[in-house]
Amino acid sequence: MPHWLRINPWRFLLILGLVSVLALGAACGDDDDDDGGEPSATDGGGSKEPLKIGALMSFTGALGTFGEPIYSGAQLAVDEINANGGVLGNDITLIRADDGTKPDQGVTEAQRLVDVEGVQAIVGALASGVTVQVAETVTGPAQVLTISPAATGPALSGANDDDFLFRTTISDAGQGLLLSQLANEQGYTNVCNLYVNSPYGEGLSNAFTAAFEEKGGTIAAEVPHEDGGATYVTELGQCGDAETLAAISYPETANVYLREAVESGQFSSYLFVDGTKQAKMFETLGYANFDGAVGTSPSSLPTGDANAGFIERYEAAYGPLPPTPYIKEAYDAVYLIALAAIAAGSTDGADMQAALRDVANAEGTEAGPGPEGFTAAVEALEAGDDINYDGASGPFEFDENGDPQVGAIEFWHVDAAAATLVSDRVFQVDFDTGEVTDITELVLE
């Protein structure tokens, strides 16, 4: 992967201690060919049953406002693939399941998807806490390939999932570092982290704290909170004399405590993250109350025509692309599952898992998303060639934990006049080398 405009990594290895960063090793795909020749994608001896993918997402609960647009990204991929031959001669079926942003409900719904619906793969969950529970108790033991488009918690890297859990977004070890850079650029010196009490919230809060304090900043307090409360005055009171509030939460709860913070005038500034990058939340709270406030979120690597084509196709199907993160990541997760099945010649979960790194990681013929890219990828696989899928959200290089080794983090701000959230800058984070690179000119027009 190329690197551009290198900036100081600020002892990046300190933050990488939050995740297990190991050398990349590509998994071997199925090859049952006995004559020594190149096998085609349809020569595998596994299951040729129609591919069923569960969409385990948050349509209600703390992340309820994220679920529908992210699901639409996955559905768009399914529709494109089915319109261009499907997988191994059959259409894909995408089956919805609502985890309610709750681990227990997520496990129950995942079990239903596996035992009743018979899915061989799952796209989801969105929340890190739900994703870990599902992977360790349901999909890992059942050998169901699972790709989360949105779970960023560093804890996923060490999940006991038997290597059946992957994600198409990078760990929050990277977002924590860039959030610290953003805070420093804004001149913030005394910050209180109010974070959701989950692997996501705790992991991101810890990553930000380590990076911010390493550069001389002060974290007045790291205050966990539970979702669903009627008031968070007690938690806000624990922030002491902090000037800035870092809202590391989900919109449903942040709506409550941000309103209380604004009404009290307790803070002079705010920091937001991907969990609080939600247009509807700012509409409810009033854009004017947060005009100019800044935040971070996972973003896309340079994708050129692939990104432009995705936006055009998404908007033709669903209307304007919202600023919600992880839509492209869900789209790419479906494509990766489909291509892994074609490469393996099987829709069996274990066979797809064994082929996933082969279709995602270099080397191989570059394969893009969309109808043309999918058709070209299938032709290459059927000819016995390796492929390297470069998606709408960027290329993927999965390490042995199922984490992308390279990803992107954006800086964004609240624009009250336009009543929208605006992307300002984008950085590439390379976990393999520890480098952080400004790629704004390559990503943003």
Side-chain angles (χ1 to χ4, degrees):
M1 306 287 287
H3 303 288
W4 309 275
L5 307 175
R6 296 182 180 178
I7 64 175
N8 188 342
W10 310 317
R11 303 176 191 172
F12 193 64
L13 293 178
L14 174 66
I15 309 304
L16 295 187
L18 294 171
V19 294
S20 176
V21 180
L22 301 174
L24 174 66
C28 297
D30 291 342
D31 185 354
D32 296 325
D33 196 292
D34 294 328
D35 61 10
E38 289 290 341
S40 76
T42 58
D43 285 339
S47 172
K48 301 297 192 301
E49 292 294 318
L51 178 58
K52 295 182 179 181
I53 300 176
L56 181 63
M57 299 183 182
S58 302
F59 298 104
T60 60
L63 282 176
T65 53
F66 284 76
E68 201 63 45
I70 295 175
Y71 174 82
S72 294
Q75 184 65 61
L76 178 63
V78 169
D79 291 343
E80 291 177 356
I81 292 167
N82 288 346
N84 289 274
V87 171
L88 304 178
N90 297 301
D91 282 353
I92 302 173
T93 301
L94 188 66
I95 303 172
R96 291 171 64 115
D98 180 16
D99 62 34
T101 328
K102 299 176 182 177
D104 290 348
Q105 184 172 328
V107 167
T108 298
E109 282 296 278
Q111 202 73 63
R112 178 182 66 82
L113 288 171
V114 173
D115 293 342
V116 178
E117 302 291 352
V119 303
Q120 304 101 326
I122 287 178
V123 175
L126 306 185
S128 297
V130 178
T131 303
V132 170
Q133 288 292 314
V134 166
E136 293 188 338
T137 62
V138 181
T139 56
Q143 297 193 329
V144 171
L145 176 60
T146 302
I147 304 180
S148 172
T152 56
L156 267 73
S157 301
N160 183 20
D161 58 274
D162 201 24
D163 199 29
F164 278 84
L165 174 61
F166 295 75
R167 53 179 158 184
T168 47
T169 186
I170 65 169
S171 163
D172 272 332
Q175 185 175 186
L177 176 68
L178 269 300
L179 186 64
S180 170
Q181 178 191 338
L182 181 59
N184 287 325
E185 289 182 0
Q186 295 292 312
Y188 301 156
T189 59
N190 191 350
V191 180
C192 176
N193 299 351
L194 190 53
Y195 68 88
V196 58
N197 189 17
S198 72
Y200 161 71
E202 183 177 12
L204 180 50
S205 179
N206 289 344
F208 168 59
T209 294
F212 192 60
E213 290 183 340
E214 198 269 339
K215 293 296 292 182
T218 297
I219 298 295
E222 291 186 88
V223 184
H225 71 75
E226 303 299 328
D227 280 324
T231 179
Y232 292 92
V233 170
T234 299
E235 286 84 355
L236 289 169
Q238 295 178 46
C239 288
D241 62 351
E243 299 171 350
T244 304
L245 178 66
I248 306 175
S249 307
Y250 301 140
E252 184 179 64
T253 297
N255 260 320
V256 178
Y257 71 70
L258 287 173
R259 182 175 300 282
E260 292 176 329
V262 168
E263 290 174 350
S264 69
Q266 181 176 355
F267 303 98
S268 60
S269 54
Y270 297 88
L271 279 173
F272 297 103
V273 294
D274 55 319
T276 41
K277 187 189 179 189
Q278 220 286 322
K280 183 175 291 186
M281 183 186 79
F282 289 103
E283 290 173 7
T284 301
L285 292 168
Y287 273 98
N289 291 317
F290 301 95
D291 189 30
V294 297
T296 56
S297 176
S299 184
S300 299
L301 291 165
T303 55
D305 293 341
N307 183 49
F310 167 82
I311 295 173
E312 181 179 318
R313 295 190 301 275
Y314 183 96
E315 294 188 340
Y318 302 107
L321 182 69
T324 304
Y326 309 121
I327 297 171
K328 296 175 187 176
E329 287 80 357
Y331 174 88
D332 286 332
V334 171
Y335 266 101
L336 285 165
I337 291 167
L339 292 172
I342 295 168
S346 170
T347 56
D348 177 76
D351 292 337
M352 292 188 293
Q353 179 270 351
L356 182 61
R357 289 184 179 88
D358 287 344
V359 301
N361 296 4
E363 302 286 335
T365 302
E366 289 191 8
E372 292 183 5
F374 177 70
T375 299
V378 172
E379 291 175 353
L381 290 170
E382 289 182 341
D385 297 333
D386 292 331
I387 65 167
N388 176 20
Y389 177 75
D390 288 351
S393 60
F396 296 97
E397 296 291 326
F398 292 118
D399 67 13
E400 67 177 41
N401 296 316
D403 292 339
Q405 290 186 301
V406 181
I409 299 293
E410 72 170 359
F411 289 176
W412 55 274
H413 76 273
V414 178
D415 184 339
T420 191
L421 309 178
V422 179
S423 297
D424 298 314
R425 297 160 67 189
V426 182
F427 297 86
Q428 175 182 286
V429 180
D430 190 324
F431 286 99
D432 186 37
T433 65
E435 294 174 350
V436 176
T437 308
D438 190 328
I439 58 171
T440 304
E441 293 183 1
L442 299 170
V443 177
L444 301 179
E445 295 181 353

